[in-house]
Every structure is written in structure tokens, then in C-alpha cells.
Amino acid sequence: MNQTYSIAGVTAVVLATVLVGALGLRISRTTSDFYVASRSVPPRLNAFAVGGEYLSAASFLGVAGLVLAQGVDMLWFPIGYTAGFLVLLAFVAAPLRRSGAYTLPDFAEARLESRAVRRIASVLVVGVGWLYLLPQLRGAGLTLRLLTGAPGWFGGLVVAAVVTVAVAAGGMRSITFVQAFQYWLKLTALLVPAVFLLLAWRADHTPAPSWDERPVFRHSTPVRFDSQLTLTVHEPVRIAASGTVDGRHLDGGPLTLDAGTHRIGADTTLRFPSGARVPLPHVGLTQTAPSSWANPLSAGREQHGLYATYGLILATFLGTMGLPHVVVRFYTNPDGRAARRTTVVVLGLLGAFYLLIPLYGVLGRLYAPDLLLTGDTDAAVLVLPQRLIGGVGGDLLGALVAGGACAAFLSTVSGLTMSVAGVLAQDVLPTLGIRHFRLATLPAIAVPTAANTVVSDLPVADAVGLAFAVSASSFCPLLLLGIWWRGLTPPGAVAGLLLGGGSALTAVTVTIAGGARSGRLHTLLAWPAVWSVPVGFAAMVLISLATRDRVPAGAAATMARLHLPETLTGRPALLGTRVRP
């Protein structure tokens, strides 16, 4: 990739973000401006902002990388990401807006009249937000490392600095304009290169390999390994090697790798010949086995493929409604009807975007199979313009894609920082106000930035899937039961949040820490939604039934406020919360 063009593209996006954010700064004055843009964002603008914030690095980079590495099963990610808004539209969007809340903890306290429920919800919002921020910062580090050669932590630090300034300066009103702009930038950054990539693919008359076979190097390809790993070679291959192979130091001369396993040292470059099949590494990604890439639920890909698929579906379908940075956007609509209209538009925006992502995964398997060896499959979207087109045209398209990737993690990090800072400002800092909100942005982004330097090898989309699982296990039961069941009690909500959300968060923490890397235990912990979501619902229902006398006194009035149109109830006002619209 041409560093000059790519750096120029990323710099342009950062400057545009700062300038658009400055527009919001000029009109952000009150607390309501900072938290919910004074509840005056029209549906279309809000939908553009939701699309900009929701389409994160996991969508822009991670899904294509997973399709490249693990096959068509990974298409459940974009399906689940989009379908989650159907559940949000049908059950949550309008009632949540009518609640008059600023944050999810506000809703929890208003509905259940319990400070204990609020405190637990606050902890979970911060936990989900920080967990979701990790892959965004990793995507930023990966992008800038490819563009400039800077260390992986540097990109996350740059994004954290830019977002801190934008969010602290203008709050929700500012980032609404930023995120709406960034949605269209991301869509353009995928759509325009996709047209040229398809034309180049059509012009390439080389026969495509069978999708169910291991990919091959279409050209003589050098692969550099920054860290030590073990490769499995299935048939002898003659390569050129510079570095350390099986304990032997080589200076670029020819070498034959026999069938079997070989240890490759750090800072080693192997040049594979055209037509050689890609070896399988034993680090980083879960690799597809032969005859499994295009075969959903193949036993060769996962020990428990069907279970993992259901875990992914449940997490993404039900987790969307509890993501704090998504939910907070619906508080900015003027009323419940506008919230529903926003959700309908969002469905169309997401559908248009996700139609493009599988193309990059398929082309990456054909033209960038070396990423399977290095573990950088999330970079497939970034490298394809140069691989297929090359020259100045490839450099320009690569710069456009790099700018889109920058917009992806900037917009999502802005929304997440906004939601986490809002909770910290209300529930941790001693008093509420714009000054304390601005102070709260520092820990909101600093903690995941520091954690990003430790957790660096988890695929972006996988990490986001884990955040969805925690959200689905905690806030999905709280919102659905809180909105639609009058009998929910504070003890029931506490039990569900602790057992459902707490168990999912524990499983996710163990997975990220590498506590179980294989076998049935790994599958249960890596895809916890299958069991943690039912645990959350069951705990809330059963404990609430056992504590019927604890139903809040104002439950009937609150339920009426959630479900009746604003014209009948008047503008919503929260009861018992520290923040009032």
C-alpha cells in the first residue's frame, strides 16, 4: 500500500471529523444538548447517525476477515447485526423513547424505582461499552500499522485522543452530525472500490479454485512473520526463506518444506511460489478445514458448529437492543413515532452496507490468502485494491478504503465513549453537569485504550460478538420484561442482571484471557448466549414471581407512559432519577 496516499486519506477523515464536530460544539450549551441533543434529532438524520455509529470496525473490517478465514458460516454476523433492529423496532424503540431516559440505568431506575438496579445496570453498561471499545481500538491499530508501520497500540491512542476531544467538546449534538457524515463515507469507501474490484476480477481469466479446498497463492508471494509460529504443510513445497526455519538461519536461499509441521521464527520472510497451497498456522485464528469453507456447520470447522451458530444468532439478534451506544440514540428522537421511523430507515441503511462485505471476504480468499498465515485477516478490505488493481488507481482506492476504516472506528468509538461517559458522569462523579461529563470522557476511553495494549490477538468481529452476548444476557431481559411485563420486581431484575449478564461477562473474560482454548468448555464460554440468555430471563421471571409484593407502586403509571402516545400522556418525565429532560 502507498503510505502517502493512505495517510492522506486517514488525515482527511480525521480533519473532517474535527470540523463537523465543531459545528455541534457551536450549538451545544445545555446538559440536555450534551446527553440527548435536546431530543430534537429528526428520524432520517438520527438513522444516518445510528448507521454511522453501529457499523463499526467489526462490520467494516472484521466480518470480511472472518469470511476469508472461516467461511460462509460467518455471514450470520451481518444477518444478526441487521435483524437485531427488527426486534428493536417491534418491542423497544418507541416505549424506550417515551420513558424520557438519558441512559439505560435511567430507564432501569425509572421503571423499577430501585437504586440497586440502577447501580448494577451502570456497571454492565460500562462493562459492555469497554468490551465493545477493545475491537474498535484494535482495528485502528491494525489500520495505522499497515499504513505507516507504526506499532499496533499507536492507532488506538490516536483514535482515543481525537474522540476524547470531539465528545468532550460537543457531546451528543456534536457526534450526531459526525456519525451521519461517517455513515455515507463508509458506504462510499466500500461501494466505489467494490465496483472496480469486480471489474478487475472479471478481467482476471485465471480459473477460480474450488471454494471447499484450501486457498492457493495465485502469484509468487512473500509472507513476513513478525512473531514465532508453527505451520502445517500438507505437501512438500519449495520456497525461499530469510530468517529462521526449524532452528536454522537462512539468508534468502531456496528451501523445501516437507509435509508436516515447521517452526517459523520471528522476523522471518517466506516466499511461496505460484500455485502453492496455503499452509495452516496453529496460532491466532480458528482455521477452516478442507471441504468446510463453503459448507455451513461443517464438522471440520468447529467441534460444536451448530451450537456456536445458535450462540452467534442469539447474541446478535437479542444483543442489539441492549448496546448502550445504540440505545442512547433513540433518546434523541422527538417522540416514540420518530424512534420507530428511525429504526425502519436504519434497517435499509444496514442492508445496503452489508451487501458489500461478503464480496471482500471472497476476494480476500482468492487474492490475499497470505493473511491467513500472518493472522491479519481483518486487513483484507484494506489490501485488496492494491492486490487486484495496483498502480495509482489501486493506491487511490486504497486511500479511500483506509479513510472509510478510519471513519468506522472513529464513529463507533465516539458513540461508545458518549454512552460510557454519560453513565460515569451520573453514577460515579459526585454531581451532574457538562463539566463532569467532560471529565468522565477520560476514564471512559482510557481504560479500554490501556487494555488494548494487552489484548491484541482476538479477531475484531469475534470480540464484538462477545460484547453482544453480554448485552443479550442482561439488558435484553431487562428491557423486554421491563417494557412488557408489569410484574417485574427489583429483586427479579437484580437476579437476572447478575446471573445472566454476570455469567456472560465472566465467560467472555475467561475467553479473552485464553482460559480455555479448545474443547467443549471453550465452546460454552466463547458462545455463552445459548445458556446465559435463558438464565437471565428465567432469573428475572422466577424471582419476580416469588416477590410479587415488591412490584413498584408506580408500575401501572410507568407502563402507561411507556405504551401510550405522547399526545395522551404528555412529554415523558422520569421519576426518581437524577437527570430530567
Side-chain angles (χ1 to χ4, degrees), residues 371-417:
L371 299 179
L372 293 168
L373 293 177
T374 62
D376 286 334
T377 54
D378 290 331
V381 174
L382 299 171
V383 304
L384 279 173
Q386 188 57 241
R387 297 288 179 94
L388 268 77
I389 299 170
V392 176
D395 291 336
L396 291 174
L397 291 174
L400 178 60
V401 172
C406 180
F409 41 73
L410 278 176
S411 58
T412 303
V413 172
S414 296
L416 288 164
T417 303

Side-chain angles (χ1 to χ4, degrees), residues 67-87:
V67 171
L68 160 62
Q70 300 188 36
V72 297
D73 268 350
M74 297 299 100
L75 294 179
W76 279 113
F77 273 100
I79 292 172
Y81 291 157
T82 305
F85 275 89
L86 287 173
V87 183

Side-chain angles (χ1 to χ4, degrees), residues 223 225-234 244-247 257-266 268 270 272 278-285 287 372-375:
V223 181
F225 300 90
D226 293 326
S227 58
Q228 180 177 303
L229 83 164
T230 301
L231 294 181
T232 298
V233 178
H234 292 273
T244 305
V245 178
D246 293 331
L257 293 180
D258 295 324
T261 59
H262 299 272
R263 296 184 62 189
I264 310 300
T268 295
L270 306 182
F272 291 87
V278 178
L280 298 179
H282 287 289
V283 297
L285 298 169
Q287 296 296 324
L372 293 168
L373 293 177
T374 62

Side-chain angles (χ1 to χ4, degrees), residues 124-402:
L124 287 170
V125 165
V126 174
V128 171
W130 282 346
L131 184 63
Y132 209 119
L133 276 166
L134 279 176
Q136 314 311 317
L137 297 173
R138 183 185 184 279
L142 171 66
T143 300
L144 291 190
R145 176 167 62 83
L146 290 173
L147 299 182
T148 67
W153 55 265
F154 179 73
L157 188 62
V158 170
V159 169
V162 173
V163 167
T164 299
V165 173
V167 172
M172 179 62 78
R173 190 176 291 280
S174 176
I175 66 171
T176 295
F177 295 112
V178 170
Q179 291 169 339
F181 157 74
Q182 287 171 337
Y183 169 78
W184 292 106
L185 175 61
K186 285 183 281 189
L187 184 63
T188 302
L190 284 182
L191 181 60
V192 173
V195 172
F196 288 94
L197 292 175
L198 284 173
L199 293 174
W201 186 16
R202 183 177 178 84
D204 184 0
H205 299 296
T206 304
S210 170
W211 298 114
D212 282 332
E213 296 178 357
R214 284 186 296 112
V216 299
F217 293 103
R218 301 174 70 87
H219 308 284
S220 177
T221 305
V223 181
R224 177 177 173 81
F225 300 90
D226 293 326
S227 58
Q228 180 177 303
L229 83 164
T230 301
L231 294 181
T232 298
V233 178
H234 292 273
E235 58 272 331
V237 58
R238 190 166 179 80
I239 64 171
S242 297
T244 305
V245 178
D246 293 331
R248 298 164 49 197
H249 182 74
L250 304 166
D251 57 1
L255 173 70
T256 299
L257 293 180
D258 295 324
T261 59
H262 299 272
R263 296 184 62 189
I264 310 300
D267 300 322
T268 295
T269 299
L270 306 182
R271 178 176 287 276
F272 291 87
S274 174
R277 295 199 178 277
V278 178
L280 298 179
H282 287 289
V283 297
L285 298 169
T286 301
Q287 296 296 324
T288 58
S291 301
S292 66
W293 188 89
N295 183 12
L297 304 179
S298 170
R301 189 186 69 81
E302 286 276 1
Q303 288 182 315
H304 309 93
L306 183 60
Y307 173 90
T309 299
Y310 278 120
L312 172 60
I313 291 172
L314 279 174
T316 53
F317 278 38
L318 302 180
T320 301
M321 72 178 67
L323 294 178
H325 65 300
V326 172
V327 171
V328 74
R329 289 238 55 99
F330 291 94
Y331 303 146
T332 66
N333 281 121
D335 51 42
R337 182 170 180 269
R340 283 201 176 101
R341 291 175 61 192
T342 292
T343 310
V344 172
V345 177
V346 167
L347 285 168
L349 297 177
L350 297 185
F353 183 91
Y354 283 128
L355 285 175
L356 300 171
I357 295 297
L359 169 66
Y360 284 86
V362 169
L363 292 180
R365 188 169 176 85
L366 288 176
Y367 294 96
D370 53 291
L371 299 179
L372 293 168
L373 293 177
T374 62
D376 286 334
T377 54
D378 290 331
V381 174
L382 299 171
V383 304
L384 279 173
Q386 188 57 241
R387 297 288 179 94
L388 268 77
I389 299 170
V392 176
D395 291 336
L396 291 174
L397 291 174
L400 178 60
V401 172

